[in-house]
């Protein structure tokens, strides 16, 4: 956490423990830094797991490991490495993941396939197995820590630790959901979060948990973007320990399924926005709501075209109501759009309607809105019922400074 | 031309006149600036025209006008406005184009459909018809000017005027090709150049000229990107006056067709690279060559994914051989790729092969290459015979400075 704290940062919330989950952190020294960089989480026997993973065609061996392990739907431990993503490291990378899983399984008394592994950091440098093992050994005997310590330990270029929590009543019992997440660049469509971990004491069937997480992802993590770049390591895992003792949620008809789904979606939404708030160099959080599109998918693509446009993002950074750049971004999305039906607003102020500037358009309220730290852009295409909302941040000198000298 | 001249700028070349083409410039005062901003070109009777236009779904009325006029294949005049793109201005925008075409046609003694119009500048502000007409009246009586004056007049945020020339022997006669172009941002796939105009004294059938221009565009203007954004006004027009007196080129079997095609492609290539060299804030020209892809289209998409990645572009700005970001950009392209067959080079130095860093990789020659102003990135996918080469520039603080306060 070497850069100045994002001006959009939120304080770390009070987060309750989750029965069946124990957190520990240690120093594996993956980089020459004086901080914990290995997170070790144990999970009660019977814990269900679901996950969404990067769509990258060049994923890290950790992602491939998790993809296979998810098929079984059971988890007993999670290991997260920060400082080295272990991506693009060939056989040595695979060996590192296998070594971590084996050692953790031996310690926890479970199968290696019950162990989930995620790593984040520089690409192309094999994760040093000796350091991982020494870090694990230290973590195994460490005193359990709180959510904030774990959230800090999974971070890399993040400028603040990110966590969120919510609750639901399921089958008459209160259940807790918490999540921690890291990521501030390489955040993009089709699986946004670099690394996010959700824990609940609810009892949920793995397949049902997977369905709910996938659906929530579509409306949250897949709707955020910082720079349009997609990590080789993007991972969101959700663990349900079952310690709350509710009758296991198995499908939509289970008692409390709706409440749990809503809580899970809300949690994902909170976590996703926390990542955008730490977008590299961000000074403004931008919400882009597209309506009136041919369909939801088309609306999403148009919203992402706006959200990823460097010209739109620099205009917002400059507090410039340059709505022409939004027209440009709609036009380049390749989706159905008719220039003369297009309407655009900033905040509550309509600036363009039916293909041209609103008569007597007063820029003053728009200028005032753009001076704030949370910007709303609304685009109505006037074609159909499709809609989507996405979140991004502005593009500033800070992004250049962070990324032009990341490795040095 | 308000910003510092690009460090990648090339001097304006000596460019010969083209028989049948006369250039004039004038002050229409589309903005409060003390410079010419209207270019008026007259073309000899019988001039053939071809064009490629923006793929934007929200094009300017000028683009729609040119699209219709191109069907006829004949041109007598070209008017280019700088400082106001007239895009997204509804009926008033259409009226402005019609007024310009009508006045120009009356002056030139031709049909309005023989007049081509292009405009560049801010979006959403109707082009003032009175200023256009006054500018045209001044241009009609102006002394003809040279290519450099015209190239300067079509520019907006360009930091230097851009022109190129070449020659060919067609049907035993020397023919001349010249081009001028403007653009330094909103440069992206599927029709890159903001405004480019090519002139030749060769005699070419309009349909054949269109075919050659479309093919050249695929390998040149569609292979450059500055920021992934696409203008609502992108236009490249090619005019062939026929004054050289060659037997008209009508198809591939025409004498000299190959030579003309090669010259046209070379000219487009020169012009396209000139635009990248003026990429907003650019300090380095980056050539990205992708080989071994499934097919050429796939190679092109992967190359563009790399070329548009903010993380790749900032790494190059920082002279950082962060090839992991190239792996990331390959992975996110959504095209066939196998991590363990991927090879990457910077300049002549192989840095990764078969999915991991080259054994004993020495970063010194790569660091030296990255300190230069022309960077080469090579990616081999190891899958098939598909290849593509694209050009982009790095992403620097200059881009932010230019675009965060463009309108002010």
């Amino acid at each position: 956490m070497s850069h100045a704290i994002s001006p959009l940062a939120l304080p770390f919330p009070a987060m309750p423990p989750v029965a069946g989950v124990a957190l520990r952190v240690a120093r594996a020294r993956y980089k020459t830094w004086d901080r914990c960089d290995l997170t070790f989480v144990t999970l009660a026997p019977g814990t269900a797991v679901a996950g969404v993973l990067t769509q990258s065609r060049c994923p890290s061996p950790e992602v491939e490991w998790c993809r296979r392990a998810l098929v079984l739907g059971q988890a007993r431990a999670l290991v997260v490495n920060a400082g080295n993503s272990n991506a693009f490291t060939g056989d040595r990378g695979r060996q590192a993941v296998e070594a971590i899983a084996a050692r953790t399984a031996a310690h926890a008394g479970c199968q290696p396939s019950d162990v989930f592994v995620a790593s984040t950091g520089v690409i192309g440098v094999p994760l040093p197995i000796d350091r991982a093992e020494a870090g694990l050994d230290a973590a195994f005997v460490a005193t359990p820590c709180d959510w904030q310590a774990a959230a800090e330990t999974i971070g890399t270029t993040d400028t603040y630790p990110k966590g969120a929590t919510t609750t639901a009543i399921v089958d008459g019992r209160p259940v807790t959901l918490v999540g921690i997440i890291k990521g501030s660049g390489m955040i993009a469509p089709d699986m946004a979060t670099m690394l996010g971990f959700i824990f609940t004491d609810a009892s949920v069937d793995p397949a049902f948990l997977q369905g709910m997480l996938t659906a929530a992802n579509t409306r949250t993590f897949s709707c955020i973007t910082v720079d349009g770049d997609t990590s080789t390591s993007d991972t969101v895992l959700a663990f349900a320990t079952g310690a709350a003792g509710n009758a296991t949620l198995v499908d939509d008809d289970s008692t409390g399924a709706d409440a749990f789904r809503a809580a899970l979606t809300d949690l994902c939404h909170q976590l996703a926005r926390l990542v955008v708030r730490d977008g590299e160099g961000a000074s403004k959080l931008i919400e882009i709501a597209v309506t009136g599109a041919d369909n939801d998918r088309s609306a999403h693509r148009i919203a992402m075209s706006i959200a990823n446009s460097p010209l739109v993002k620099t205009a917002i950074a400059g507090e410039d109501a340059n709505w022409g750049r939004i027209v440009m971004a709609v036009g380049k999305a390749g989706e159905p759009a008719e220039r003369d039906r297009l309407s655009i607003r900033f905040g509550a102020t309509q600036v363009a309607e039916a293909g041209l500037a609103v008569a007597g358009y007063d820029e003053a309220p728009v200028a005032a809105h753009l001076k704030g730290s949370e910007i709303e852009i609304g685009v109505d295409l006037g074609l159909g019922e499709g809609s989507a909302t996405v979140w991004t941040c502005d593009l500033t000198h800070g992004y250049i400074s962070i990324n032009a000298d990341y490795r040095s």
Side-chain angles (χ1 to χ4, degrees), chain A:
Chain A
M1 311 216 177
S2 51
H3 295 283
I5 293 172
S6 168
L8 305 174
L10 297 182
F12 200 84
M15 304 228 302
V18 172
V21 179
L23 310 168
R24 291 175 174 83
V25 297
R27 284 171 165 71
R29 298 187 172 80
Y30 292 123
K31 294 179 71 170
T32 53
W33 53 16
D34 182 29
R35 48 160 279 189
C36 290
D37 51 10
L38 185 149
T39 307
F40 170 61
V41 184
T42 50
L43 302 155
T47 294
V49 61
V52 281
L53 299 161
T54 184
Q55 301 292 317
S56 173
R57 301 296 185 105
C58 299
S60 70
E62 282 82 345
V63 167
E64 294 181 327
W65 176 273
C66 289
R67 191 165 278 139
R68 283 193 299 270
L70 279 168
V71 175
L72 303 173
Q74 300 295 326
R76 290 295 308 286
L78 166 69
V79 177
V80 185
N81 305 301
N84 184 323
S85 77
N86 195 37
F88 212 61
T89 54
D91 276 337
R92 290 175 63 193
R94 284 184 281 276
Q95 289 160 13
V97 177
E98 286 168 14
I100 288 170
R103 201 176 195 93
T104 304
H107 174 79
C110 65
Q111 296 299 313
S113 58
D114 296 329
V115 179
F116 286 74
V117 187
S119 301
T120 171
V122 72
I123 296 177
V125 180
L127 192 81
I129 293 176
D130 55 343
R131 294 191 182 205
E133 293 184 332
L136 282 172
D137 290 347
F140 292 157
V141 298
T143 305
C145 67
D146 62 10
W147 291 112
Q148 182 164 350
E152 286 169 351
T153 302
I154 65 173
T156 52
T157 57
D158 303 65
T159 73
Y160 68 97
K162 304 171 187 70
T165 184
T166 188
T167 58
I169 303 295
V170 174
D171 185 27
R173 295 166 195 255
V175 305
T176 299
L177 297 88
V178 306
I180 58 174
I181 197 160
K182 66 85 51 183
S184 59
M186 280 199 195
I187 306 302
D190 292 331
M191 184 50 227
T193 312
M194 203 144 179
L195 299 181
F197 308 103
I198 293 166
F199 305 88
T200 179
D201 54 1
S203 178
V204 190
D205 171 74
F208 187 49
L209 183 61
Q210 182 65 54
M212 287 188 288
L213 181 65
T214 299
N217 174 62
T218 302
R219 292 172 52 195
T220 58
F221 301 117
S222 288
C223 293
I224 65 173
T225 179
V226 169
D227 53 19
D229 279 340
T230 304
S231 165
T232 51
S233 304
D234 288 337
T235 299
V236 173
L237 298 172
F239 303 96
T241 67
N246 60 289
T248 302
L249 298 173
V250 295
D251 60 25
D252 286 336
D253 295 331
S254 300
T255 306
D258 287 350
F260 185 83
R261 181 199 305 278
L264 179 67
T265 304
D266 171 65
L267 188 73
C268 292
H269 187 208
Q270 288 187 59
L271 292 170
R273 286 170 59 106
L274 286 172
V275 173
V276 178
R277 285 180 173 276
D278 208 6
E280 290 173 337
S283 72
K284 294 174 191 293
L285 176 69
I286 309 171
E287 177 174 298
I288 299 163
V290 171
T291 55
D294 235 27
N295 55 60
D296 288 352
R297 187 174 174 82
S298 178
H300 180 83
R301 285 187 178 157
I302 290 168
M304 277 297 188
S305 177
I306 299 167
N308 279 321
S309 161
L311 287 170
V312 171
K313 290 156 72 82
T314 48
I316 301 296
E319 302 180 346
D320 175 2
N322 193 329
W323 55 273
R325 295 184 182 178
I326 296 172
V327 178
M328 178 280 300
V330 171
K332 77 165 178 166
E335 292 293 322
E338 286 184 32
R339 186 188 59 203
D340 296 344
R341 290 182 177 210
L342 197 55
S343 298
I344 297 171
R345 68 174 165 81
F346 284 101
T349 310
Q350 206 71 32
V351 300
E353 269 178 343
L356 68 171
V358 168
Y361 160 53
D362 173 14
E363 199 164 307
V366 172
H369 180 71
L370 291 178
K371 287 198 186 308
S373 64
E374 304 198 9
I375 308 302
E376 291 174 34
I377 298 174
V379 173
D380 191 274
L381 293 159
L383 297 177
E385 298 297 316
S387 66
T389 300
V390 307
W391 296 271
T392 188
C393 58
D394 55 342
L395 175 58
T396 69
H397 286 289
Y399 182 87
I400 307 294
S401 298
I402 292 168
N403 284 299
D405 60 357
Y406 171 64
R407 289 203 319 170
S408 52

